[in-house]
Amino acid sequence: MTSTLPLLPVSPATAPATAPVGRVRTAAAWTAVAATVPYLTLKLLWLTGHPVGVGDSEAMDDLWLLNLLTFGMDAVAVALALAFVRPWGRRVPAGLLAFPMWVATGLLGTILVALPLFLLSALVLGPEAAGPGAEDGPSGWVFTLVYGGFAVQGPALITGFLLYARERWAGLLRRDRIGDLPDSPTLTTQRAFACVAALLAAGVAAARLYWASGGSAGLPVVWQEQRGRGMAVMDAVTAGMAVTAVAALLVLVFRRRPGWRLCGPLAVVWTAAGSVFAWGAWQLVAFGTSVTASADPREAVPGLLPLVEAGQVVAGLLVLAVGAVALAERAAAGAVPDTAWSAATVGPAARADVESAK
């Protein structure tokens, strides 16, 4: 969730020097960058006509746009990691940094939840039989390289962001409680948006759980034939994320636990809503929205699938809007300064707080 956090006025004479970046944040950021290299290299090979690790080389010609898009997404992850440790990253507007990080947290956080569940299912139920057309897909080592990279990149990037955020918005993330959120004139609107998001999330969760349990209505025929355990796990995780996101949001907007620290529910909403939005948006782009998008009727996308994906996108945006308004109002109340710039003007105690956040 994004917010526009005000900067306290600082004169050139009193402006603090650039604070050193902690070793943990530096290590996390550069680990995230290193973890993207295999994925970016693989995508670059595919984009330049070298279908390494793919059984059907002609399929790469049809997927060049998606490969270009995913290459760009991982390149953005590299830029985010660098922003957490480079001086220019302290000057990036909050919204410009927070939105792509919200999306990245949703995408990577979902994988970090789904991947262990998938591996556990393989351990308990045994290897899954290859479906039709599996020989034309990526080789097994490609799966290991890609998702192994995500498994490293996700925790590293999120760790770097948390340490960056603790420095920049230490008061909000360490001291505030749910009861500190203001009872503003927009609270009724926030609650209305949260309730609409909850209804949409309930529909998304129901559909995803239906597909996770083996239902096939609303899915392309090809998907029904090739659907495996991995997709079922992803559907189940998406359903869980949808319910979790709105449950935590309702706790915040209705102030059900005013004594709870704000950082816990905020982290849950951030991750789960990012997951719902990011995967819904990605699937809308990757799989299409039209029932006539493919000349092969077996590949046509029925109306229910894009409807569920659109529900995810709208629900995620509603949660984002509520969070952005609530945090902006909290910042406007003067309780959450941009500590990276204001520590030098508010005294040694605040400066010590910033340093300890590293």
Side-chain angles (χ1 to χ4, degrees), residues 20 147 195 220 302:
Y147 285 93
C195 290

Side-chain angles (χ1 to χ4, degrees), residues 105-116 147 150-151 234 237 241 279:
T105 303
L107 291 171
L108 294 170
T110 303
I111 292 174
L112 293 177
V113 174
L115 184 59
Y147 285 93
F150 288 155
M234 284 294 295
V237 171
M241 290 289 189
W279 283 101

Side-chain angles (χ1 to χ4, degrees), residues 32-128:
V33 171
T36 66
V37 172
Y39 186 83
L40 290 175
T41 302
L42 186 64
K43 289 293 181 177
L44 190 60
L45 288 171
W46 290 351
L47 286 169
T48 55
H50 301 82
V52 178
V54 178
D56 184 5
S57 59
E58 294 182 359
M60 289 295 101
D61 296 334
D62 299 328
L63 297 176
W64 72 270
L65 185 58
L66 288 180
N67 285 329
L68 181 62
L69 180 60
T70 50
F71 179 90
M73 291 165 63
D74 230 31
V76 170
V78 172
L80 287 171
L82 294 176
F84 301 152
V85 293
R86 303 304 300 164
W88 56 264
R90 301 169 187 264
R91 300 187 296 272
V92 175
L96 187 60
L97 183 142
F99 181 77
M101 188 60 210
W102 179 59
V103 174
T105 303
L107 291 171
L108 294 170
T110 303
I111 292 174
L112 293 177
V113 174
L115 184 59
L117 293 177
F118 174 73
L119 296 177
L120 180 62
S121 70
L123 181 63
V124 174
L125 302 176
E128 189 174 19

Side-chain angles (χ1 to χ4, degrees), residues 16-25 90 162-171 174-175 339-344 346-358:
T18 301
V21 177
R23 293 179 180 177
V24 175
R25 182 159 31 132
R90 301 169 187 264
L162 287 175
L163 296 175
Y164 171 92
R166 286 182 64 194
E167 176 185 319
R168 188 165 181 175
W169 305 299
R174 299 185 64 197
R175 294 189 295 270
T339 54
W341 288 96
S342 63
V346 296
R351 192 180 305 114
D353 183 49
V354 173
E355 292 300 323
S356 65
K358 299 173 187 176

